[in-house]
Amino acid sequence: MSYAIRRLLRAAMCVFSWFVMPYSQCVSSRIERRKLPPIENPLLLLSATVLAERIRKGEVRSEDVVRAYIQRCQQVNPLLNAIVEDRFEVALEEAQEVDRQLAKGALGTVEELARTKPLLGLPVSIKESLAVEGMSNTAGRKLREKKVALSDAPVVRQIKRAGGIVLLVSNTPELCLCWETYNQCTGLTRNPYNLQRTAGGSSGGEAALIAAAGSLLGVTTDIAGSSRLPAMFTGVFGHKPSPYVVSPYGHHPSCDDENWGSFFTPGAMCRYAEDLPLLLEAMRDPEGLSVTLNKPVPISGLKCYYMENDGPSGLTRPIDPDIVQAIRNVAAYLNAQRVNLKRLRWTLDISVCKMLRMKNVETIYSPQANGKPDTTIKREVFKYLLGMSKSDLPSVMIGPMQHIVNNYIPQSRLDFLDAQTEKLRKDFIDLLGTDGVFIYPGFPNTAHRHYRIFHKLVDTTYMMVFNTVGLPAASCMVGFDRENLPIGVQIVAAPGQDHLIFAVAKELERRFGGWVPPV
């Protein structure tokens, strides 16, 4: 992409903001500036790691933990609007059965349970786009008939095998195609730190609930930052695993491209860094990539590197000074070396072109059972402009974007970008090896007002790039900005080195405080 085109695109985003900002201001101003009820039950302030051990030892009942989270959901969801559908009554019954079996000693020793059922008796929430048998699985799409999952996604089966109790399915934008969580079925999800701000997307429902102590552990998804941006905006931890550590199947929308699992993966979200390896270990695909998640890591032996922005890309907006300072604080604490990976300037080009070329991604334009799509690009764009479409803007625009990339970008250009992708991946692997991590911004600002993502779309390349090159990455909470909104930074490692990220996340939590209850 030439300098002139980059400047033109940046100017277009600026002009777009002139239309978005007044609408965003109007929507946000109509939302009451209420605060969430305080957290009163002490069980809600314990990590999953601690609760799991206490449940196994009979020191805490699963029923009490599940009931505490149900009550908290009922308190905060009217303000957050994060739940699509719950299974509270069934979850309580399952928790009671866990307590009965533990009392009988029928499930094995404490040590056996820690190994075979690490999540025994713990409530877990699931992003609604992942199939949970008998639960809504529309991915925010307005359909003639509600789509209900007929079976569990592989990752949900793993959660249940590990003893986790599914509490609910949470809100997502239509077909997970936006970094804001809203749709025409469930509506808009709000940030617990400020209801007039976004919780991000597409895993915004999970992030809002977890940050508000309405959920303990969350199963998310990530194809372009969908686990990391919401975690960053709500002050929790969100992890995108290495490709194929977790099964990428059982998701709506689906895709049968052979590279789908290289970009897309279910992710882990939680309030406490020590729970990341616990949750990911439970989520792991037994036939997937083998990784060691609990391997001890001496922080002093790590090689740490950082960048404060994406270099001279000419596209993304300047990083907010509070975020820059947070990155510098983290870098100084970890004694990180500043580097300049020049190929990061191509992140928009390589990420967009690579993702939009994936074959048979399910969209509103996909063929139905009769072999024909419900709508066409021209028809849907026209209906949207007239205010008659049942779909949201990202779902409408995905078709034109795919058409442009697949029909109007020369193959020579695509070949060049593919080569840059492989070179950038090699740059990272060579730099990080098996003992290095990379500190990087996740987004130029903290949680903005609702709907302001649309003129900031190019800024999402700070996250998208790590899906494109297949590296694990996590958003870690490291403080607050001047408006008392959470600041998160990305920690990245080479493929299969997720345990390095977890070690750094724990250290940053210890040093900078981690999650703080919304007040």
Side-chain angles (χ1 to χ4, degrees):
M1 189 182 294
S2 69
Y3 179 80
I5 294 177
R6 287 171 178 270
R7 292 288 89 189
L8 184 61
L9 182 56
R10 192 73 190 90
M13 292 291 102
C14 181
V15 171
F16 194 19
S17 72
W18 299 345
F19 299 92
V20 174
M21 296 284 275
Y23 177 74
S24 168
Q25 189 72 31
C26 180
V27 170
S28 298
S29 64
R30 292 202 302 264
I31 299 172
E32 284 187 78
R33 292 211 59 175
R34 296 174 60 187
K35 295 184 176 181
L36 298 188
I39 300 170
E40 296 177 343
N41 192 322
L43 290 175
L44 300 175
L45 296 174
L46 297 177
S47 71
T49 303
V50 170
L51 282 171
E53 183 177 10
R54 292 188 181 181
I55 289 172
R56 290 192 294 266
K57 291 180 176 179
E59 298 171 356
V60 172
R61 295 193 310 167
S62 172
E63 180 185 356
D64 292 336
V65 175
V66 170
R67 193 178 298 278
Y69 275 94
I70 290 173
Q71 291 172 347
R72 183 62 178 171
C73 282
Q74 291 169 337
Q75 277 187 322
V76 301
N77 193 59
L79 296 173
L80 301 177
N81 191 39
I83 299 174
V84 176
E85 187 176 12
D86 70 68
R87 58 190 303 273
F88 291 161
E89 291 185 10
V90 177
L92 275 174
E93 292 173 1
E94 291 173 354
Q96 290 163 356
E97 181 61 21
V98 166
D99 292 333
R100 282 193 290 268
Q101 294 298 317
L102 283 171
K104 293 179 183 177
L107 299 177
T109 66
V110 170
E111 293 73 22
E112 289 171 341
L113 290 174
R115 185 177 67 256
T116 61
K117 291 187 177 296
L119 303 185
L120 184 64
L122 297 180
V124 182
S125 52
I126 311 287
K127 187 175 179 179
E128 193 257 0
S129 55
L130 284 163
V132 177
E133 184 177 358
M135 301 291 286
S136 174
N137 188 218
T138 64
R141 190 173 180 190
K142 197 170 185 178
L143 302 171
R144 295 186 187 94
E145 295 183 7
K146 175 183 173 182
K147 183 179 183 335
V148 175
L150 300 179
S151 60
D152 290 329
V155 65
V156 175
R157 287 200 297 271
Q158 290 301 111
I159 290 292
K160 291 181 177 180
R161 285 172 185 162
I165 296 173
V166 176
L167 203 58
L168 56 90
V169 289
S170 60
N171 203 25
T172 177
E174 184 179 26
L175 295 177
C176 302
L177 288 173
C178 190
W179 290 270
E180 301 260 10
T181 297
Y182 74 97
N183 57 63
Q184 296 188 37
C185 300
T186 311
L188 177 70
T189 295
R190 306 176 189 94
N191 192 311
Y193 289 91
N194 184 331
L195 301 179
Q196 296 180 328
R197 305 283 177 141
T198 181
S202 61
S203 305
E206 283 300 312
L209 280 176
I210 291 170
S215 176
L216 177 63
L217 300 170
V219 180
T220 62
T221 63
D222 196 311
I223 191 172
S226 292
S227 291
R228 288 161 284 153
L229 186 67
M232 182 182 312
F233 280 179
T234 60
V236 297
F237 294 88
H239 180 63
K240 182 197 88 67
S242 295
Y244 297 107
V245 169
V246 183
S247 171
Y249 304 110
H251 184 264
H252 174 58
S254 62
C255 176
D256 58 13
D257 191 288
E258 61 182 4
N259 295 314
W260 175 244
S262 299
F263 291 91
F264 170 85
T265 177
M269 190 179 288
C270 51
R271 276 173 282 147
Y272 301 102
E274 69 174 346
D275 292 340
L276 284 173
L278 173 76
L279 179 54
L280 190 56
E281 185 68 45
M283 294 168 58
R284 280 179 56 177
D285 182 356
E287 299 178 359
L289 178 70
S290 178
V291 291
T292 302
L293 300 178
N294 289 295
K295 183 178 179 180
V297 177
I299 295 297
S300 59
L302 278 180
K303 297 175 183 176
C304 302
Y305 308 93
Y306 79 103
M307 286 176 64
E308 295 176 3
N309 53 50
D310 59 355
S313 72
L315 282 170
T316 54
R317 293 173 307 110
I319 304 295
D320 185 272
D322 289 343
I323 297 176
V324 171
Q325 187 58 55
I327 291 172
R328 290 175 179 172
N329 292 343
V330 170
Y333 180 68
L334 295 176
N335 195 27
Q337 174 187 345
R338 188 167 184 164
V339 294
N340 183 17
L341 298 175
K342 295 182 179 180
R343 287 191 180 89
L344 283 172
R345 67 178 297 182
W346 299 109
T347 53
L348 176 69
D349 312 59
I350 66 176
S351 298
V352 170
C353 288
K354 199 84 169 177
M355 291 184 185
L356 290 178
R357 281 186 292 156
M358 282 192 291
K359 299 175 183 178
N360 301 324
V361 177
E362 187 178 1
T363 71
I364 62 173
Y365 304 107
S366 298
Q368 302 302 302
N370 60 5
K372 298 179 180 179
D374 281 341
T375 188
T376 63
I377 292 174
K378 290 181 180 179
R379 182 192 308 163
E380 203 61 32
V381 170
F382 184 67
K383 286 170 63 178
Y384 186 84
L385 293 174
L386 294 178
M388 299 172 61
S389 176
K390 293 181 180 179
S391 292
D392 297 318
L393 180 60
S395 292
V396 174
M397 292 308 298
I398 189 71
M401 292 169 65
Q402 289 174 322
H403 183 74
I404 291 170
V405 168
N406 287 300
N407 293 279
Y408 293 103
I409 297 182
Q411 186 61 45
S412 59
R413 180 63 178 176
L414 295 176
D415 291 342
F416 169 78
L417 294 176
D418 287 344
Q420 293 302 314
T421 301
E422 291 307 311
K423 289 177 181 178
L424 180 59
R425 175 181 168 84
K426 186 176 185 302
D427 288 344
F428 271 114
I429 292 175
D430 289 346
L431 176 70
L432 300 177
T434 59
D435 60 354
V437 296
F438 180 60
I439 304 156
Y440 197 54
F443 201 71
N445 56 259
T446 54
H448 46 253
R449 291 180 182 270
H450 297 290
Y451 302 111
R452 292 192 181 180
I453 191 64
F454 294 108
H455 62 282
K456 302 178 180 182
L457 288 178
V458 296
D459 297 330
T460 59
T461 55
Y462 278 104
M463 300 170 294
M464 292 171 66
V465 62
F466 299 114
N467 298 84
T468 307
V469 297
L471 270 59
S475 174
C476 299
M477 165 68 167
V478 293
F480 289 89
D481 69 3
R482 69 198 72 180
E483 297 186 74
N484 205 34
L485 294 167
I487 296 174
V489 299
Q490 285 192 102
I491 307 298
V492 183
Q497 306 301 316
D498 300 58
H499 64 288
L500 302 182
I501 296 175
F502 297 157
V504 172
K506 292 176 187 177
E507 186 64 20
L508 295 182
E509 180 182 49
R510 188 189 68 79
R511 171 61 180 83
F512 296 101
W515 171 77
V516 176
V519 293

